[in-house]
Amino acid sequence: QYKISFLTITIIFVIVGISSALMLTRPLLRSIDLLGEGVDRVSSGDLEHKILFSGLACEEFVVLSHSFNDMTASLRQAKQQLDDYSRSLEKLVRARTRELEETQAELLTQAHEAGMAEMAVGVLHNIGNAITPVKVGTHLLIKRLRENPLRTNLQESLLAIPAAILSAPNM
């Protein structure tokens, strides 16, 4: 009978111990579940999620949840700054692209104008080459006319023309 009593008391102590352990650890497990759920939601991208302090088992969990909420607030702020920077960077890239396109169009126009000027220079050079012999011939003709004896005797030569016309046989 001593053994049955000892076994009964042991079983009662084990049951009371397990029940006490379950009752004491349930709030801890619930607090750990709340913290775990918060971590899962934030890691999935929900930076607006805050861990509520009510229902946490001990002061350490409350401090941990405060730190966690502060961390998510910092992450939200950093994400907002990155988004703002990204938008301003996109605007800057669009503005620079527009400037580059305008510069490219201007360079294309300048290249076209330079090509046209080069063609004009070539045409003028060719015209000059064609005119040079005419100019040289004109100078020679003027020189010969200045030195021609007809110039000095022009009056006499003009008087001889009507007489030559009148004496010419009729055709």
Side-chain angles (χ1 to χ4, degrees), residues 94-104:
R94 280 193 297 271
R96 293 288 187 234
T97 301
R98 199 171 27 255
E99 288 175 9
L100 285 174
E101 288 171 349
E102 290 170 1
T103 302
Q104 182 181 15

Side-chain angles (χ1 to χ4, degrees), residues 120-130:
V121 166
V123 168
L124 287 175
H125 179 74
N126 289 338
I127 290 172
N129 285 344

Side-chain angles (χ1 to χ4, degrees), residues 30-61:
R30 195 180 76 213
S31 297
I32 291 171
D33 284 342
L34 281 174
L35 290 172
E37 177 190 346
V39 168
D40 288 341
R41 287 184 66 178
V42 168
S43 68
S44 68
D46 183 10
L47 295 179
E48 298 298 323
H49 179 72
K50 292 185 179 184
I51 296 175
L52 302 176
F53 308 125
S54 62
L56 296 179
C58 61
E59 185 63 28
E60 287 81 10
F61 286 138

Side-chain angles (χ1 to χ4, degrees), residues 88-146:
S88 69
L89 192 58
E90 287 173 3
K91 288 179 185 177
L92 184 62
V93 165
R94 280 193 297 271
R96 293 288 187 234
T97 301
R98 199 171 27 255
E99 288 175 9
L100 285 174
E101 288 171 349
E102 290 170 1
T103 302
Q104 182 181 15
E106 185 178 325
L107 285 174
L108 188 60
T109 302
Q110 288 176 354
H112 183 288
E113 290 172 355
M116 296 299 286
E118 190 174 331
M119 282 178 48
V121 166
V123 168
L124 287 175
H125 179 74
N126 289 338
I127 290 172
N129 285 344
I131 291 177
T132 299
V134 172
K135 185 178 175 184
V136 170
T138 305
H139 280 292
L140 285 173
L141 183 61
I142 289 172
K143 183 180 175 186
R144 285 186 185 162
L145 285 175
R146 280 189 190 142

